[in-house]
Amino acid sequence: MRGILAVLGYGGEAPPVQGKKDNSSRRVRVLELSRRLKHRGPDWSGLHQVGDCFLSHQRLAIIDPASGDQPLYNEDKTVAVTVNGEIYNHQELRRRLSSSHTFRTGSDCEVIVHLYEEHGEEFVDMLDGVFSFVLFDSRDRSFMAARDAIGVTPLYIGWGIDGSVWISSEMKALNDDCEHFDIFPPGHLYSSKNGGAFRRWYKPPWFSEEAAIPSVPYDPLALRAAFEKAVTKRLMTDVPFGVLLSWSPDLKAAREVAEYLGTTHHEFYFTVQDGIDAIEDVIYHTETYDVTTIRASTPMFLMSRKIKALGVKMVISGEGSDEIFGGYLYFHMAPNKEEFHWETCRKIEALHQYDCLRANKATSAWGLEARVPFLDKEFIETAMDIDPEWKMIQPDIGRIEKWVLRKAFDDDHKPFLPKHILYRQKEQFSDGVGYSWIDGLKSHAQLNVTDKMMSNAKFIYPHNTPTTKEAYYYRMIFERFFPQKSAILTVPGGKSVACSTAKAVQWDSQWSANLDPSGRAALGVHLSAYDHKQKEQQHLPATVVAGAGNKKPRVFGLPTHAGVTIHS
């Protein structure tokens, strides 16, 4: 991933720089703020300025490392764009353009400026990939910005008191200079040509609760083919890459998978205390105080540092599968296929505030890019068209969590995985590397937050009032970094059990008294939630398979307290 910052119409007084008060001080300020995103793109930086409009970029070079620096331009540089993302169908789009265009680089993102030249602002739905971008047209001083369908790439938008518009990959580049800022909604486009209004460009039928429940029969081969296609797209890279595997409370299963795949297995260890020591950095980079996200982001943050140190710059990750297929343990209690389906829809719509945010920001903190094939537009369309009756968890007939996905890869002739691994019960992300991680976090919060502090929580934090000491502890740290009301409002709230939406809490009357985000809260469902041997673990495992080009992949097993990746 990369880091982008655009400031459009920066006409007010910028902070003075070395006694200067002219436009150069504003340029220096933009550069200063852009450097706050340097962790996202440590390979190069660029800035394009036309008068009071600035497009800046921090680059992580994955495609065309030699010449793909940004911002990118059309032939006469009247149109410029700064992009965070990957356009997987860029070669096809190049072929569909007229022959009048000249490409300066091999970057997959350069196609955006030329699509704009031919199609105006109506080209966004043609892009197959994940992206956030800001495009500036100096011919009429107009600009547009867009974010990918699900919100895999993060994006924020803010407004200055001088009338300027600010758009950034992370809010840390906006929070000191904008009067107000907010999340840029996924699947939307923002244009100065229509008065700065948002409009949705991604309109799948399952987004509307007025739409009919899907009725397409389950076809395991079609689902497998759609996923294989989504993965293949994401192998577009010119640098070493890896694959993140599911977590396990011990390394036994990870080692077995590595042996089965014929990969070289490496293990790294860090302790619960290592994770606790990293909490402040995690909150600064993920820009959230949500308990579930922090629990899961911390091990991913620590593991990303290890992966990047090994020379790997991109990894394939499994975010989205639990949302699409109803893999969370609380889905056992879905009362019918209609509620099951609408809950998956609600979960997918909220991904940009939870798993997408975690996977992107925890990895980007170390200049590592995570690609998520489950959130491929075409794959989502195929998976969400399936009659949800097939997705329902029915243990009496052998249908466990994400059965339709597992079954699609259950091939007796050419097995993808051993069956006992393929059909292993799902672990919640923040539980999957050992329950001692969550218990350790709670104990640490208990030492740092008093009962008296909790008694006044509703006055100190009237919005999203923390209801546990762990939540209070994270909130204190968050507001040290991001005290602005706008920042506080970007974090979601509401009741949840085992990662459910507030609506799904209504499925079981007992859940309202046990609102913990841990998967263990789904009482009576998990087979080993209170295994004392697991709870006593001091070192926590995680695994990743890594490889590049024709080189044999390598598996890296790291014990971290929650998970670096991946859902089956």
XYZ file of all heavy atoms in Angstrom, residues 86-120:
295
model
N -4.064 -1.036 -6.017
C -3.642 -1.822 -7.166
C -4.823 -1.978 -8.106
O -5.942 -2.262 -7.669
C -3.166 -3.224 -6.745
C -2.031 -3.242 -5.755
C -2.521 -3.160 -4.333
O -3.585 -3.732 -4.025
O -1.851 -2.504 -3.520
N -4.563 -1.811 -9.391
C -5.582 -2.004 -10.414
C -5.222 -3.298 -11.148
O -4.327 -3.333 -11.989
C -5.635 -0.817 -11.399
C -5.719 0.506 -10.628
C -6.804 -0.982 -12.352
C -6.895 0.627 -9.685
N -5.917 -4.376 -10.839
C -5.524 -5.681 -11.343
C -5.819 -5.868 -12.831
O -5.167 -6.678 -13.490
C -6.218 -6.781 -10.532
C -5.877 -6.715 -9.063
C -6.859 -6.572 -8.092
C -4.549 -6.765 -8.644
C -6.544 -6.494 -6.751
C -4.215 -6.687 -7.298
C -5.222 -6.544 -6.358
O -4.895 -6.454 -5.028
N -6.763 -5.127 -13.355
C -7.074 -5.253 -14.795
C -6.472 -4.116 -15.610
O -7.005 -3.744 -16.654
C -8.587 -5.319 -15.007
C -9.309 -4.038 -14.584
O -8.806 -3.285 -13.762
N -10.479 -3.807 -15.160
N -5.361 -3.550 -15.163
C -4.818 -2.374 -15.838
C -4.364 -2.689 -17.261
O -4.492 -1.836 -18.158
C -3.669 -1.762 -15.015
C -2.410 -2.571 -14.992
N -1.282 -2.204 -15.695
C -2.101 -3.712 -14.343
C -0.323 -3.095 -15.472
N -0.788 -4.015 -14.662
N -3.855 -3.903 -17.496
C -3.420 -4.245 -18.850
C -4.605 -4.301 -19.804
O -4.547 -3.802 -20.936
C -2.679 -5.588 -18.844
C -1.375 -5.594 -18.047
C -0.259 -4.864 -18.794
O -0.477 -4.204 -19.800
N 0.968 -4.983 -18.289
N -5.689 -4.888 -19.352
C -6.905 -4.940 -20.174
C -7.439 -3.538 -20.450
O -7.851 -3.213 -21.569
C -7.968 -5.778 -19.467
C -9.322 -5.796 -20.163
C -10.429 -6.342 -19.291
O -10.132 -6.999 -18.273
O -11.607 -6.100 -19.620
N -7.430 -2.695 -19.433
C -7.917 -1.333 -19.605
C -7.039 -0.538 -20.565
O -7.541 0.272 -21.352
C -7.992 -0.625 -18.255
C -9.052 -1.164 -17.279
C -8.907 -0.515 -15.910
C -10.461 -0.929 -17.825
N -5.749 -0.768 -20.520
C -4.845 -0.103 -21.478
C -5.221 -0.476 -22.910
O -5.235 0.374 -23.795
C -3.398 -0.497 -21.200
C -2.793 0.136 -19.956
C -1.310 -0.203 -19.847
N -0.726 0.353 -18.616
C 0.500 0.853 -18.548
N 1.276 0.881 -19.604
N 0.971 1.327 -17.399
N -5.527 -1.751 -23.117
C -5.882 -2.194 -24.469
C -7.201 -1.597 -24.941
O -7.392 -1.385 -26.148
C -5.965 -3.726 -24.501
C -4.602 -4.418 -24.364
C -4.704 -5.894 -24.668
N -5.496 -6.614 -23.677
C -4.977 -7.189 -22.591
N -3.669 -7.114 -22.353
N -5.751 -7.837 -21.741
N -8.089 -1.286 -24.009
C -9.398 -0.736 -24.387
C -9.349 0.759 -24.668
O -10.272 1.322 -25.254
C -10.409 -1.030 -23.272
C -10.790 -2.508 -23.214
C -11.456 -2.872 -21.904
N -12.644 -2.082 -21.620
C -13.374 -2.223 -20.514
N -13.011 -3.107 -19.602
N -14.444 -1.478 -20.321
N -8.286 1.417 -24.243
C -8.137 2.845 -24.513
C -7.768 3.078 -25.972
O -7.216 2.201 -26.640
C -7.054 3.436 -23.612
C -7.394 3.585 -22.119
C -6.128 3.842 -21.318
C -8.413 4.701 -21.899
N -8.020 4.283 -26.450
C -7.630 4.626 -27.813
C -6.110 4.673 -27.922
O -5.401 4.781 -26.913
C -8.223 5.979 -28.214
O -7.609 7.019 -27.475
N -5.616 4.602 -29.120
C -4.163 4.549 -29.342
C -3.484 5.893 -29.155
O -2.259 6.000 -29.287
C -3.884 4.041 -30.758
O -4.490 4.903 -31.718
N -4.248 6.930 -28.827
C -3.654 8.271 -28.718
C -2.897 8.487 -27.413
O -2.210 9.494 -27.251
C -4.757 9.329 -28.835
O -5.703 9.180 -27.773
N -3.019 7.572 -26.475
C -2.410 7.769 -25.162
C -0.975 7.258 -25.112
O -0.642 6.231 -25.700
C -3.235 7.064 -24.081
C -4.621 7.600 -23.958
N -4.909 8.801 -23.360
C -5.810 7.107 -24.392
C -6.215 9.020 -23.414
N -6.782 8.006 -24.037
N -0.157 7.991 -24.395
C 1.233 7.594 -24.179
C 1.438 7.348 -22.697
O 1.190 8.230 -21.866
C 2.201 8.692 -24.651
O 1.997 8.928 -26.041
C 3.647 8.276 -24.407
N 1.886 6.139 -22.351
C 2.133 5.796 -20.954
C 3.595 6.051 -20.613
O 4.494 5.639 -21.341
C 1.763 4.341 -20.695
C 0.288 4.102 -20.586
C -0.502 3.986 -21.734
C -0.328 4.022 -19.353
C -1.869 3.782 -21.639
C -1.694 3.812 -19.245
C -2.468 3.693 -20.390
N 3.813 6.718 -19.481
C 5.167 7.072 -19.062
C 5.810 5.976 -18.206
O 7.028 5.917 -18.096
C 5.124 8.366 -18.245
C 4.604 9.572 -19.006
C 4.412 10.753 -18.049
N 3.891 11.929 -18.745
C 4.642 12.854 -19.286
N 5.962 12.758 -19.210
N 4.108 13.892 -19.895
N 4.990 5.143 -17.544
C 5.500 4.148 -16.604
C 4.812 2.813 -16.832
O 3.863 2.701 -17.610
C 5.239 4.578 -15.138
O 3.846 4.378 -14.839
C 5.608 6.024 -14.918
N 5.260 1.809 -16.102
C 4.593 0.513 -16.103
C 3.647 0.357 -14.929
O 3.122 -0.720 -14.685
N 3.403 1.449 -14.199
C 2.533 1.401 -13.036
C 1.114 1.007 -13.413
O 0.561 1.506 -14.401
C 2.516 2.766 -12.337
O 1.506 2.812 -11.350
N 0.515 0.131 -12.620
C -0.874 -0.263 -12.849
C -1.835 0.905 -12.639
O -2.945 0.895 -13.162
C -1.253 -1.416 -11.917
C -0.964 -1.101 -10.454
O 0.209 -0.862 -10.125
O -1.903 -1.092 -9.644
N -1.420 1.917 -11.886
C -2.315 3.031 -11.551
C -2.337 4.136 -12.603
O -3.234 4.985 -12.581
C -1.924 3.626 -10.202
S -2.098 2.479 -8.814
N -1.366 4.143 -13.529
C -1.316 5.228 -14.514
C -2.531 5.224 -15.433
O -2.915 6.251 -15.987
C -0.044 5.138 -15.350
C 0.154 6.350 -16.259
C 1.437 6.289 -17.074
O 2.293 5.433 -16.778
O 1.584 7.119 -17.997
N -3.157 4.061 -15.573
C -4.314 3.961 -16.460
C -5.444 4.882 -16.009
O -6.290 5.302 -16.816
C -4.793 2.490 -16.532
C -5.457 2.057 -15.229
C -5.736 2.267 -17.693
N -5.473 5.261 -14.738
C -6.565 6.083 -14.203
C -6.654 7.433 -14.899
O -7.739 7.894 -15.267
C -6.407 6.250 -12.681
C -6.689 4.920 -11.980
C -7.329 7.345 -12.135
C -6.438 4.938 -10.485
N -5.519 8.109 -15.114
C -5.577 9.442 -15.727
C -6.084 9.357 -17.160
O -6.814 10.241 -17.626
C -4.208 10.155 -15.683
C -3.835 10.526 -14.264
C -3.117 9.326 -16.329
N -5.728 8.290 -17.869
C -6.149 8.169 -19.265
C -7.609 7.721 -19.379
O -8.319 8.130 -20.313
C -5.223 7.208 -19.994
C -3.793 7.642 -19.967
N -3.352 8.813 -20.535
C -2.692 7.068 -19.390
C -2.042 8.941 -20.345
N -1.626 7.897 -19.643
N -8.075 6.922 -18.422
C -9.502 6.598 -18.385
C -10.316 7.859 -18.141
O -11.387 8.055 -18.739
C -9.782 5.572 -17.283
C -9.311 4.145 -17.541
C -9.444 3.313 -16.271
C -10.124 3.503 -18.674
N -9.814 8.713 -17.267
C -10.503 9.979 -17.004
C -10.571 10.833 -18.260
O -11.605 11.464 -18.549
C -9.781 10.728 -15.886
C -10.271 12.144 -15.678
C -11.438 12.404 -14.970
C -9.556 13.236 -16.198
C -11.887 13.708 -14.773
C -9.996 14.538 -16.002
C -11.162 14.764 -15.298
O -11.603 16.048 -15.120
N -9.483 10.867 -19.034
C -9.481 11.658 -20.269
C -10.546 11.184 -21.247
O -11.166 11.996 -21.943
C -8.102 11.577 -20.933
C -7.014 12.358 -20.208
C -5.693 12.277 -20.947
O -5.120 11.179 -21.056
O -5.239 13.337 -21.440
N -10.773 9.882 -21.288
C -11.736 9.340 -22.265
C -13.166 9.271 -21.736
O -14.117 9.416 -22.499
C -11.292 7.943 -22.721
C -10.082 7.965 -23.629
C -9.952 6.681 -24.445
O -10.874 5.823 -24.387
O -8.931 6.531 -25.138
N -13.311 9.026 -20.438
C -14.649 8.755 -19.895
C -15.113 9.759 -18.847
O -16.209 9.607 -18.304
C -14.681 7.352 -19.278
C -14.340 6.263 -20.239
N -15.248 5.755 -21.144
C -13.176 5.585 -20.450
C -14.672 4.803 -21.863
N -13.413 4.684 -21.471
N -14.319 10.765 -18.560
C -14.699 11.682 -17.488
C -14.708 10.951 -16.160
O -13.902 10.046 -15.922
